Amino acid sequence: MKTLALLITFFTLSLINSQTPSSYEKGMSKAFELWKDKKPNEAIHLFERIAKVEKENWLPYYYAAQVHIFTTFRLKEAEAIESRLKKAQEYLNKVNTITNNNAEVLIMEAMLNTAYVSYNPSVYGMTLSAKIEQLYQDAKVLEPKNPRATLNHAQWKMGSAKFFGKDPKAFCPEIEKAILYFENESHDMPFYPHWGKEQLSSIQENCRKE
């Protein structure tokens, strides 16, 4: 009976511990909340603090870079944009010391370069366009059904087509592929990237326009 009681106690404690969020999970959740609450700098600082503890985990630095990159699309001041993009590159450099041949990282690097082009197309359009294309191609080789690679690559090609006076709707079938890939996406790793799906409705609407 004593042995049985000990086993039950051990099982109960193990179950409780498995259901209790770790400090990592709490920290990451808090960082995402800060970003959602339009506090990007606070979110970045928290992601960075987590990264310094979780030394073998590429996700905290990845998200710190993502916040910087995505924030620039709403900025107009050149100094602020360049500062954030340089910092994002530093974070991605750290990510690349932790993980190799990672499609998600390649996609984020493509987004970083896209942010440069968006910020100053006359300077960066010609120099970075080929690099962006190659990053998406490499990501799709690693993960042919990665929804973010498919979606963002299609968006990049749509933007390029529009810039050169071509029909961006030629790439709408790629958006449909991305939708299917999002529906089938599944990852066991906590906080694994799953962003992008929220963009689909507006892109689909543009594809339906005459």
Side-chain angles (χ1 to χ4, degrees):
M1 288 296 291
K2 185 177 180 180
T3 302
L4 179 60
L6 287 172
L7 287 172
I8 292 172
T9 301
F10 176 77
F11 176 77
T12 302
L13 288 173
S14 299
L15 183 61
I16 291 171
N17 288 334
S18 68
Q19 292 175 338
T20 302
S22 65
S23 57
Y24 166 71
E25 291 171 327
K26 289 179 180 178
M28 290 291 283
S29 296
K30 178 61 177 178
F32 283 116
E33 286 177 14
L34 288 168
W35 189 11
K36 184 179 179 181
D37 292 338
K38 299 181 180 179
K39 297 178 181 179
N41 292 335
E42 291 90 336
I44 290 165
H45 292 154
L46 184 49
F47 280 130
E48 185 171 16
R49 289 202 300 273
I50 296 168
K52 289 178 180 178
V53 176
E54 301 284 331
K55 298 182 185 298
E56 301 302 316
N57 190 335
W58 59 274
L59 287 172
Y61 278 132
Y62 166 91
Y63 284 117
Q66 184 183 29
V67 177
H68 270 309
I69 294 165
F70 282 25
T71 300
T72 64
F73 289 110
R74 298 192 299 272
L75 298 178
K76 294 183 179 180
E77 301 83 3
E79 186 176 349
I81 293 171
E82 290 181 6
S83 176
R84 285 190 180 276
L85 293 180
K86 287 178 182 177
K87 192 63 180 178
Q89 183 64 71
E90 291 175 11
Y91 285 137
L92 288 177
N93 290 344
K94 291 179 179 180
V95 169
N96 281 315
T97 66
I98 301 170
T99 179
N100 296 311
N101 295 322
N102 189 317
E104 297 294 345
V105 179
L106 293 175
I107 295 162
M108 193 54 60
E109 289 179 351
M111 293 300 297
L112 170 66
N113 286 280
T114 300
Y116 271 110
V117 173
S118 178
Y119 148 61
N120 196 333
S122 62
V123 173
Y124 296 110
M126 292 296 292
T127 59
L128 295 180
S129 292
K131 183 177 181 180
I132 293 168
E133 178 67 23
Q134 189 61 56
L135 284 165
Y136 282 128
Q137 293 288 359
D138 291 346
K140 290 162 88 170
V141 167
L142 290 171
E143 295 183 16
K145 295 184 179 182
N146 185 298
R148 280 160 297 286
T150 302
L151 174 63
N152 287 284
H153 191 196
Q155 284 187 289
W156 167 251
K157 289 187 287 188
M158 284 177 161
S160 298
K162 188 175 181 180
F163 181 80
F164 289 108
K166 298 181 180 179
D167 186 4
K169 289 185 180 180
F171 302 102
C172 286
E174 290 297 304
I175 303 301
E176 297 303 317
K177 283 185 184 179
I179 293 171
L180 180 62
Y181 297 157
F182 272 115
E183 289 175 351
N184 294 321
E185 185 175 38
S186 177
H187 294 285
D188 295 329
M189 186 178 182
F191 305 107
Y192 196 89
H194 64 274
W195 57 271
K197 195 173 183 178
E198 64 280 356
Q199 305 173 55
L200 290 173
S201 58
S202 60
I203 300 171
Q204 281 182 297
E205 185 177 339
N206 289 331
C207 282
R208 294 190 188 105
K209 290 180 180 178
E210 295 296 333

